Amino acid sequence: MDTCKFLILSSGLLFTVSAQAVEFNLNVLDKSMRDSVDISLLKEKAAIAPGNYFVSVAVNKNLISAGQELHWKANGKTVAVCIPAELADQLGLKENIRNALTLKEGCVDFSNHSAIQFTLDRADQRLDVSIPQAMLSWKSDNWMPPSSWDDGVAGLLLDYNLFASTYRPNHGEHSENINSYGTAGLNMGAWRLRSDYQISQNRNDESSQTTRGLSRTYLFRPLPALGAKLTLGETDFSSSIFDAFAYNGAALASDDRMLPWELRGYAPQISGIAQTNATVTVSHAGRVIYQTKVAPGPFIISDLNQSVQGTLDVKVTEEDGRVNSFQVSAASTPFLTREGQVRYKFAAGRARPDISHHVIDDTFASGEASWGMLSNTSLYGGVLAAGSDYRSVAVGIGQNMLWLGALSFDVTHASSTFDDGHTEKGLSYRLNYSKRFDATDSQISLAAYRFSEREFHSYANFIDHQYNDADTQDEKQTISVSFNQPITPLNLNLYVSALRQKWWDGDSSTTATLTAGYNFDLGEWKGLSLSTSWSTTRYEESDTDNQLYVSLSIPFGYSRRLNYDMRNSNTTSNMLSWSDASNPRNTWGVSAGVETDKPDNGSQFRGNLQHLTSLGDLQLAGSYAASDYSSLSASWSGSVTATRHGLAMHRRSFGNEPRIMIDTDGVPGVPVQGDFNETNRLGYAVVPMAGSYQPTSIAVNMNQLPDGVTVNESITRETWTEGAIGYKTVASRTGRDISVILRTPDGHYPPLGAVIHQAESNIDIGMVSEEGHAWLSGIKDNQQFDVMWGKNQRCTISLPNNLEHIKQQVILPCH
């Protein structure tokens, strides 16, 4: 029968739908087709037979479960899904509504809340749950309630960075450096064990020095019910009130990342200027927390974890050995808390005076909290006591002044008793301000002022006096500010940052950076950019280090650029460079230039290459300065993740962000989440970074699937806790695609709409069309499939051998 004729007749029948069901008059069909259509599939709108079904679950279109088995059971003339208590807990209902729901025969009873609707999308095998927003605990596109968070699976991990370099001057000692740092870890349920390591070997013509060790080992777990994180072991004391230090002990602290994005905190930004292919290392209390390679010119680091607090040490190591060091204040923005909320932190233990595992004798205990007293006013404060020698108390207020910005002010009193028996008491005052000017689109990211009396000591400063008194200075005054101003009509952006510090018994210092960027067109040349940066570091009664940098960049197509750079410091250099990023896996560049006051006019040549793979990232760089020196460097970063399901090497994960292992049923070469993650020979891939406590979608790149590979579910979306190893299976098949005609033993064929099911993997691979035609994809020799229709009616088909020799449609018997 003509297909169009059948569709027209079927469409006409749809207009006779009653409120309850559809009754088809089969007499309108040709007699030969009356037994060829599975009418049970069309009789009820969204009808489903009682039984167990494997489905994903979405609440208001947000996926909360990628797959679980649910039971549909008959209730009179209707069939309804049974929602177990565990799934009801994940729906994100308000606590009072969830507590009012009762359990009936193992299923949560939603009969008193008819506004909550459950609909099965059979095409996508998904249960859609519709819940009025007023019944949900929080509405956000980027946040799901804690009940839906996943702690992941147990496993081992290793995140590593490998660096190697050699420096060969024309005169002087040759030097070589090999170093590595990273993190090893173990996950068990919600608990995460982490250990940071550092290894370094430096060699020159006369000596060799090797250092190695574990800088810290700690255990932590999230506590979603408290909105907090518990940490045990060697960790850092991070506080918005008291100065930071390293210690061994325990901490329980509110975690802003568990809050919706709108309520989260602030992370510092670091900027500077590199003179060569330099290595930027960011440390906190002697522990490396960030290291990266930057090209000559201005750089900005804006992806530090927002939990970092206190003063950060930044070291810019040039490839010729020169080192520029400065500090960045990572103080928090004004301490504001939403009305009625309390944010807190408690910690106890023994301080570590240096990077070693040695701890001092006195045990400290601290507590701090912020309370949203009113809509725009917060009160905060804290106490810190150590043994019988140190006491500190702080109180403060934070005020949202609306169009005037946000302001916080606090006072800290400290009493310190030193080894010689004398006691010093003093006060420290601090003022923070933040403001965005909408009229000019200006942003004062952070402006802070702090003044400390002569006999005031923070606990970190008190420890320094006890163990390193000769080199310890007492802070008197600190001023820090950062300001950003875009000038849209001119395509210009200005950024200013400054930090000035004064000590009672030492010189003052000032560090400032001014950066301006300008984008413009010049005739047929589009997308040119001109940038300039000025940086100064000044110590009182010593020389001032000023640097000026000017760069002009000219695009050639989408991903190639010609650059001119001028840098002026103690010397002046002019460089011309070419960069090519047309191949996303291989980015390379070369440059040549001159520098004043250097041999042979300072002629220099440089080259660099970055190669990205699914196993990790490789960076190579080399330089040659005529009659001066030559250098080579290489780095490799990557990670290894192993679970009971499998093992995979992958691109490096950073910090304690979740990583997601994707299992494609042994199918290799499946691209996952971008161009640089694909399944290995065992069928595993790891997406190295997902956001903690925020819904993350993991997608298969359907356009780059290998030939003969079929994926049933291309996108999975879930929320993982900090440090989790997520595990998701993506039903994949590899094989051939063929067209078949199904025939029953009596010479007929299964009805239109019958489902072809693979029992082994519990997935549907196709559906019977008119006159027994079906398309089977991703199949292999000798496989068997069930063809199902009506009320438990079925037959079985078996595939032949040597499918690769089949060139035309195959007729398969269905027994």
Side-chain angles (χ1 to χ4, degrees):
M1 180 179 180
D2 185 84
T3 303
C4 294
K5 184 185 297 184
F6 172 71
L7 292 175
I8 293 172
L9 288 172
S10 301
S11 300
L13 292 173
L14 293 178
F15 289 100
T16 66
V17 175
S18 67
Q20 298 297 324
V22 177
E23 288 294 338
F24 288 92
N25 184 353
L26 297 184
N27 291 325
V28 303
L29 299 179
D30 190 281
K31 183 178 179 180
S32 64
M33 293 197 63
R34 294 175 188 173
D35 298 326
S36 304
V37 179
D38 185 7
I39 296 300
S40 67
L41 296 175
L42 309 173
K43 210 169 184 181
E44 296 275 354
K45 183 180 181 181
I48 183 171
N52 294 336
Y53 296 88
F54 192 82
V55 296
S56 58
V57 183
V59 175
N60 295 346
K61 303 303 182 182
N62 287 322
L63 195 69
I64 64 170
S65 174
Q68 59 180 284
E69 190 174 42
L70 297 179
H71 179 67
W72 268 257
K73 61 187 211 177
N75 183 14
K77 294 184 178 180
T78 64
V79 178
V81 63
C82 172
I83 303 297
E86 296 79 9
L87 179 57
D89 292 338
Q90 299 179 38
L91 298 181
L93 296 168
K94 288 183 176 178
E95 187 174 353
N96 61 326
I97 295 177
R98 174 64 187 94
N99 293 338
L101 297 175
T102 59
L103 205 61
K104 185 178 180 181
E105 297 180 357
C107 308
V108 176
D109 184 7
F110 288 90
S111 59
N112 292 330
H113 294 282
S114 58
I116 301 178
Q117 298 289 325
F118 300 91
T119 306
L120 178 64
D121 186 334
R122 297 186 67 175
D124 293 330
Q125 293 183 283
R126 183 182 67 242
L127 176 64
D128 287 321
V129 186
S130 175
I131 303 178
Q133 205 60 54
M135 294 184 177
L136 294 175
S137 58
W138 177 265
K139 179 184 183 301
S140 176
D141 293 336
N142 296 312
W143 189 82
M144 291 296 290
S147 58
S148 67
W149 297 349
D150 192 336
D151 286 324
V153 298
L156 298 168
L157 59 90
L158 174 65
D159 303 329
Y160 59 90
N161 296 267
L162 304 174
F163 290 86
S165 64
T166 177
Y167 175 66
R168 297 182 175 275
N170 286 16
H171 305 284
E173 294 184 347
H174 297 178
S175 64
E176 296 177 351
N177 172 265
I178 300 175
N179 70 81
S180 176
Y181 76 97
T183 301
L186 167 68
N187 282 18
M188 291 292 292
W191 289 98
R192 291 88 167 87
L193 177 66
R194 298 291 185 266
S195 189
D196 297 339
Y197 75 88
Q198 295 177 207
I199 302 174
S200 179
Q201 183 181 68
N202 297 285
R203 293 187 299 179
N204 54 37
D205 294 340
E206 297 181 354
S207 63
S208 176
Q209 180 181 9
T210 301
T211 59
R212 63 175 65 91
L214 299 176
S215 56
R216 65 171 183 173
T217 299
Y218 61 99
L219 185 69
F220 74 93
R221 65 157 297 161
L223 299 172
L226 301 177
K229 172 181 174 181
L230 175 66
T231 305
L232 306 171
E234 299 173 324
T235 185
D236 297 326
F237 181 84
S238 59
S239 168
S240 297
I241 300 175
F242 303 110
D243 288 355
F245 56 90
Y247 74 99
N248 291 4
L252 176 66
S254 299
D255 192 338
D256 285 353
R257 295 171 302 169
M258 295 187 184
L259 300 173
W261 274 104
E262 296 83 349
L263 309 180
R264 297 187 185 182
Y266 162 83
Q269 179 171 280
I270 298 173
S271 62
I273 299 175
Q275 301 181 29
T276 61
N277 291 316
T279 300
V280 180
T281 305
V282 183
S283 303
H284 181 256
R287 179 176 60 87
V288 175
I289 62 173
Y290 189 95
Q291 188 176 51
T292 189
K293 202 81 172 178
V294 298
F299 62 86
I300 294 179
I301 298 172
S302 58
D303 55 347
L304 292 178
N305 192 291
Q306 63 179 351
S307 64
V308 175
Q309 297 289 335
T311 300
L312 305 180
D313 297 304
V314 183
K315 182 172 67 174
V316 182
T317 304
E318 307 291 348
E319 61 186 359
D320 58 5
R322 289 174 293 170
V323 176
N324 178 30
S325 300
F326 57 93
Q327 292 181 321
V328 173
S329 175
S332 64
T333 51
F335 207 133
L336 291 171
T337 304
R338 290 172 62 89
E339 182 178 5
Q341 286 188 354
V342 175
R343 295 161 61 188
Y344 59 88
K345 175 173 182 178
F346 302 99
R350 294 187 175 183
R352 291 195 294 163
D354 51 46
I355 197 173
S356 72
H357 301 281
H358 167 71
V359 296
I360 66 176
D361 294 333
D362 289 336
T363 299
F364 82 90
S366 73
E368 60 185 76
S370 173
W371 170 47
M373 182 179 67
L374 299 173
S375 178
N376 294 310
T377 303
S378 298
L379 298 180
Y380 62 93
V383 296
L384 192 156
S388 59
D389 296 332
Y390 187 84
R391 299 288 186 274
S392 183
V393 179
V395 293
I397 183 171
Q399 181 66 44
N400 181 3
M401 301 183 296
L402 303 178
W403 63 274
L404 289 176
L407 184 74
S408 69
F409 176 75
D410 54 70
V411 180
T412 303
H413 177 270
S415 174
S416 310
T417 302
F418 292 88
D419 291 340
D420 59 6
H422 85 281
T423 299
E424 296 184 0
K425 299 180 180 181
L427 295 171
S428 179
Y429 308 90
R430 184 176 58 168
L431 182 72
N432 288 337
Y433 177 74
S434 179
K435 166 63 179 173
R436 180 179 181 84
F437 299 90
D438 293 331
T440 59
D441 202 23
S442 306
Q443 174 73 47
I444 297 179
S445 300
L446 178 66
Y449 174 78
R450 178 170 179 172
F451 176 81
S452 301
E453 294 179 348
R454 181 65 184 85
E455 295 191 340
F456 171 85
H457 302 279
S458 68
Y459 187 51
N461 178 260
F462 174 71
I463 295 172
D464 287 341
H465 273 293
Q466 299 286 73
Y467 288 88
N468 192 22
D469 185 67
D471 296 326
T472 300
Q473 295 180 322
D474 298 325
E475 185 182 57
K476 177 181 181 181
Q477 178 179 278
T478 299
I479 302 174
S480 63
V481 64
S482 61
F483 175 77
N484 186 73
Q485 175 63 69
I487 304 176
T488 305
L490 299 178
N491 293 322
L492 183 67
N493 189 76
L494 298 175
Y495 174 76
V496 179
S497 65
L499 173 66
R500 178 168 176 79
Q501 293 179 293
K502 287 186 177 182
W503 291 268
W504 284 104
D505 43 8
D507 295 337
S508 63
S509 67
T510 302
T511 300
T513 300
L514 170 64
T515 302
Y518 174 51
N519 298 318
F520 64 99
D521 299 332
L522 185 62
E524 296 183 356
W525 292 93
K526 307 295 183 182
L528 282 77
S529 63
L530 176 66
S531 63
T532 181
S533 295
W534 174 78
S535 174
T536 183
T537 301
R538 180 178 182 275
Y539 291 92
E540 198 170 284
E541 300 180 0
S542 64
D543 294 336
T544 299
D545 180 15
N546 293 320
Q547 293 190 56
L548 176 65
Y549 180 87
V550 178
S551 176
L552 174 65
S553 180
I554 304 173
F556 286 81
Y558 178 73
S559 54
R560 297 179 177 92
R561 303 190 78 91
L562 179 67
N563 299 281
Y564 165 75
D565 304 311
M566 187 278 289
R567 179 187 53 81
N568 178 268
S569 181
N570 297 325
T571 62
T572 300
S573 67
N574 293 275
M575 299 291 293
L576 193 65
S577 60
W578 172 263
S579 62
D580 188 334
S582 56
N583 183 339
R585 290 184 177 270
N586 297 291
T587 301
W588 61 275
V590 292
S591 62
V594 295
E595 184 175 2
T596 60
D597 298 331
K598 294 288 184 177
D600 292 333
N601 295 319
S603 299
Q604 301 178 24
F605 302 92
R606 298 190 180 115
N608 63 82
L609 169 68
Q610 182 181 47
H611 177 57
L612 307 182
T613 75
S614 60
L615 303 179
D617 299 344
L618 173 67
Q619 288 189 338
L620 301 173
S623 296
Y624 170 75
S627 302
D628 194 357
Y629 72 91
S630 63
S631 69
L632 290 173
S633 65
S635 68
W636 173 268
S637 63
S639 295
V640 181
T641 301
T643 71
R644 64 181 178 86
H645 304 283
L647 177 147
M649 296 180 64
H650 55 92
R651 300 187 70 198
R652 186 172 186 269
S653 297
F654 290 89
N656 283 317
E657 295 299 335
R659 66 197 66 201
I660 316 303
M661 176 174 283
I662 303 298
D663 183 351
T664 56
D665 296 333
V667 179
V670 176
V672 181
Q673 202 74 358
D675 298 327
F676 305 114
N677 307 307
E678 63 180 32
T679 54
N680 58 24
R681 289 181 295 177
L682 302 176
Y684 299 101
V686 174
V687 178
M689 289 188 65
S692 300
Y693 312 109
Q694 69 182 69
T696 301
S697 295
I698 306 298
V700 174
N701 188 342
M702 301 297 288
N703 296 325
Q704 300 294 328
L705 283 177
D707 293 338
V709 174
T710 301
V711 176
N712 282 43
E713 185 179 15
S714 62
I715 300 177
T716 180
R717 180 177 170 88
E718 202 156 329
T719 303
W720 286 275
T721 57
E722 180 186 6
I725 301 176
Y727 174 76
K728 303 306 299 180
T729 57
V730 177
S732 303
R733 305 186 309 280
T734 179
R736 292 183 56 80
D737 300 339
I738 64 172
S739 176
V740 299
I741 299 175
L742 308 183
R743 285 287 186 267
T744 57
D746 58 5
H748 292 82
Y749 40 82
L752 173 71
V755 174
I756 304 173
H757 182 78
Q758 186 179 27
E760 181 182 354
S761 56
N762 194 30
I763 58 175
D764 297 334
I765 69 164
M767 183 176 288
V768 178
S769 64
E770 187 180 4
E771 298 182 346
H773 289 269
W775 178 260
L776 306 181
S777 59
I779 59 174
K780 298 179 180 179
D781 299 346
N782 297 318
Q783 282 186 311
Q784 288 189 336
F785 302 98
D786 294 326
V787 182
M788 304 181 297
W789 69 93
K791 294 183 178 180
N792 297 322
Q793 293 179 273
R794 68 176 61 204
C795 62
T796 301
I797 59 175
S798 298
L799 299 181
N801 294 323
N802 302 321
L803 289 174
E804 67 272 11
H805 298 310
I806 295 177
K807 304 299 182 182
Q808 58 187 1
Q809 202 169 45
V810 180
I811 298 177
L812 296 178
C814 193
H815 302 287

